[in-house]
Amino acid sequence: MGRRRQSVTIKHVAADAGVSLQTVSRVINNEPNVRPEMKERVQASIDKLGYVPSIAAQRMSGSRSYLILAINDRERTIADWKARQGTDWVDQMLFGGMLKCAEYGYRMIFELVDTHTDHVERELRATIAALQPDGVILTPPHSDNPLIVNLLHAQKIPFARIGSHGGEAGIALTMDDEGSAALATRHLIGLGHRRIGFISGSVEYDLSHWRIDGWKAEMAAAGLPVDGLLAEGDFSYASGEAAARRLLEGAAPPSAIIASNDQMSLATLEVARERGLDVPRDLSLVSFDNTPIVHFAQPPLTAVDQPVAATVARAVELIIAVQRGEKLPDAPTVVSGGLIERGSTAPPIG
């Protein structure tokens, strides 16, 4: 009777091929210092036994861990989960990263780190020591936290900085936040809107400033004013509600609003209803993120589709490229999203 597939280990392959465990590991990892005839012998044993390499077997060569560590902000992630308000940043992050890792024989480990704590360095050092990852993916606001960036740079660990223009350290990637805000603004200008309000995200995030810049640049290009049309939020529903009230209760309220995430957009939609405004007849609304909940809003929201999964997948590719000694792009890698038009935008009345 043949050996069951799930019980086959690297030891069985080594014994069948008559080689050491390290030789099998080198073949699995496709390392160059293996003679062709040896590689054929080991591969024949792998095929015969139906062996599926494990992370432990890959790590035996000692050169790589085949793990990529992805870090997200603890405080905001837990708050979003507790609120159960439809955010899916983490889902998209895991989806994009895990699938891409699997293509290369890697695994992705997800950890939460609080960027505001004084213990962030100690916490991250312990995580890195335990996992020994081949690379790290940082998301905002970790991407530009000097304590985290300097620690990874000093330890010579390849790391990707999503939502960052980077610098001398790390691999910078952006989702073209400035261009996406400009795209949303152009859409509303094309419909005939002239007073377009903007609800920004937390100033702690560089991408919040980039989105403001994109909106302002597009308004300036069209010769339109922005005075009194910017309200600051922090990505929470409550902050979106307060920002929407400031904009809509002004002496000259906007006929359209762009909100920097879906929660603040939903809050704006509710404030508009309280004030007897119909969306999109009296107020057009554009959101950022395009999480599933915007499909079920009434009306469904026009939204900037943030390419979170594609960006994390690209970060994985770039980290693996560094491990292979490949040359990286000199400029930040840009993964652009798009605008999904739904029922919340229309030409202004009057």
Side-chain angles (χ1 to χ4, degrees), residues 1 28 31 56 69 75 120 123 136 138 166 190 192 209 228 232 234 297 301 320 322 325 329 331:
M1 179 181 296
I28 292 170
E31 295 186 10
L69 172 64
E75 182 180 351
V120 64
E123 185 178 349
V136 177
L138 303 177
H209 301 287
E232 183 182 318
D234 63 11
L301 299 183
I320 293 173
V322 171

Side-chain angles (χ1 to χ4, degrees), residues 206-329:
D206 283 344
L207 60 84
S208 294
H209 301 287
W210 300 336
R211 293 177 185 180
I212 293 171
D213 291 343
W215 164 69
K216 284 184 174 180
E218 204 61 34
M219 293 289 280
L224 300 176
V226 296
D227 292 345
L229 292 173
L230 175 62
E232 183 182 318
D234 63 11
F235 295 120
S236 68
Y237 186 96
S239 74
E241 190 174 29
R245 292 190 192 285
R246 287 196 296 274
L247 291 174
L248 294 175
E249 292 174 2
S255 64
I257 292 176
I258 302 168
S260 287
N261 78 338
D262 290 338
Q263 291 190 43
M264 295 193 298
S265 295
L266 293 173
T268 302
L269 184 62
E270 185 59 31
V271 170
R273 285 181 179 146
E274 288 178 6
R275 297 182 62 80
L277 301 175
D278 179 83
V279 174
R281 186 191 65 206
D282 303 314
L283 178 72
S284 282
L285 180 59
V286 178
S287 185
F288 257 85
D289 287 345
N290 194 37
T291 58
I293 198 168
V294 302
H295 296 260
F296 306 108
Q298 289 300 323
L301 299 183
T302 294
V304 171
D305 188 46
Q306 289 272 272
V308 178
T311 305
V312 175
R314 184 63 182 136
V316 168
E317 290 179 330
L318 291 170
I319 286 172
I320 293 173
V322 171
Q323 287 288 345
R324 294 178 172 179
E326 298 175 17
K327 181 174 171 51
L328 292 176

